């Protein structure tokens, strides 16, 4: 559900009254929101039912995609696209936790790799699909088609994702404290610097 689409903003940036170079903010802001979203959804995905979290993200994505075409302010458009990315991130975050809960440890690396691969392929095809629709019609139409496809996908979520047993006895606050501790662990910090 990656939604960075430079095509629609490049073409419509004069309409939004901003220079072409300012539209590049969308990508940076989207990446930042995506990273923050995984930190927010990670601990939550262990505490909340997977279908509920996925449906929450899908509904938020649909809503933001739908209203993004009616916004006239570029700053508000950036905010809505950021919210779209925020909601869209709940789906892979929830599915990572779901996979860890439902797959035996022996098969876990293979299944996690499969999810990562499917996410990358999904991003490539969704970007291409939206870009093609944008070139043939408008980005507003493309976003509405995308929102419609996500809506129909939501109808299958209760049948395709079953609730997994939650073996975690931690409170949500403790889960976030543990995630922060892990994020600030010296091995993680040395690895990224």
């Amino acid at each position: 559900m990656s939604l960075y689409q430079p095509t629609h903003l490049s073409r419509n940036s004069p309409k939004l009254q901003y220079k072409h170079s300012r539209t590049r903010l969308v990508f940076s802001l989207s990446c930042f929101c995506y990273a923050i979203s995984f930190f927010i959804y990670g601990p939550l995905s262990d505490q909340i039912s997977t279908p509920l979290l996925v449906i929450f993200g899908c509904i938020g994505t649909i809503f933001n995609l739908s209203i993004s075409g009616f916004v006239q302010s570029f700053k508000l458009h950036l905010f809505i696209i950021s919210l779209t990315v925020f909601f869209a991130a709940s789906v892979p975050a929830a599915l990572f936790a779901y996979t860890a809960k439902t797959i035996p440890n022996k098969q876990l690396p293979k299944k996690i790799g499969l999810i990562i691969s499917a996410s990358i392929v999904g991003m490539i095809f969704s970007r291409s699909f939206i870009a093609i629709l944008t070139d043939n019609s408008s980005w507003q139409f493309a976003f509405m088609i995308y929102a419609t496809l996500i809506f129909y996908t939501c109808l299958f979520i209760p049948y395709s994702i079953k609730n997994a047993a939650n073996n975690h006895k931690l409170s949500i606050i403790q889960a976030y404290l543990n995630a922060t501790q892990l994020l600030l662990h010296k091995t993680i910090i040395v690895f990224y610097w």
Side-chain angles (χ1 to χ4, degrees):
M1 284 196 217
S2 176
L3 297 169
Y4 165 61
Q5 301 301 331
T7 310
H8 88 272
L9 285 174
S10 300
R11 234 191 264 157
N12 293 293
S13 58
K15 181 178 167 185
L16 294 170
Q17 300 173 351
Y18 277 86
K19 294 180 183 177
H20 176 76
S21 60
R22 298 275 315 261
T23 62
R24 291 188 175 106
L25 289 173
V26 175
F27 182 66
S28 300
L29 200 54
S30 295
C31 289
F32 179 73
C33 287
Y34 201 67
I36 294 295
S37 300
F38 265 90
F39 181 77
I40 292 170
Y41 289 127
L44 270 182
S45 63
D46 285 333
Q47 307 290 326
I48 296 176
S49 126
T50 302
L52 184 67
L53 194 54
V54 170
I55 288 174
F56 168 77
C58 288
I59 289 172
T61 303
I62 291 167
F63 177 76
N64 285 293
L65 282 173
S66 300
I67 65 171
S68 68
F70 301 105
V71 173
Q72 298 299 315
S73 161
F74 182 70
K75 288 182 181 179
L76 189 55
H77 188 77
L78 278 177
F79 177 72
I80 289 173
I81 292 298
S82 299
L83 279 178
T84 305
V85 171
F86 172 78
F87 283 107
S90 74
V91 176
L95 292 178
F96 278 126
Y98 180 76
T99 303
K101 290 178 198 172
T102 58
I103 302 295
N105 286 341
K106 187 177 179 182
Q107 297 176 349
L108 196 56
K110 187 190 301 183
K111 298 296 181 180
I112 293 291
L114 185 64
I115 289 176
I116 292 170
S117 300
S119 296
I120 292 168
V121 170
M123 284 183 223
I124 292 167
F125 280 110
S126 67
R127 289 176 182 178
S128 302
F129 175 69
I130 296 300
I132 290 168
L133 280 176
T134 299
D135 285 341
N136 291 328
S137 56
S138 69
W139 66 269
Q140 291 95 337
F141 175 75
F143 275 24
M144 291 307 286
I145 293 293
Y146 205 26
T148 303
L149 291 173
I150 294 169
F151 173 77
Y152 284 116
T153 303
C154 280
L155 299 177
F156 296 102
I157 290 170
Y159 306 107
S160 57
I161 302 173
K162 305 296 179 204
N163 275 326
N166 189 356
N167 298 328
H168 299 282
K169 305 293 183 203
L170 296 174
S171 68
I172 289 180
I173 293 170
Q174 189 60 48
Y176 278 105
L177 289 173
N178 289 351
T180 304
Q181 212 173 21
L182 181 63
L183 187 65
L184 299 175
H185 192 274
K186 65 180 180 181
T187 308
I188 303 290
I189 292 171
V190 168
F191 179 75
Y192 284 108
W193 292 103

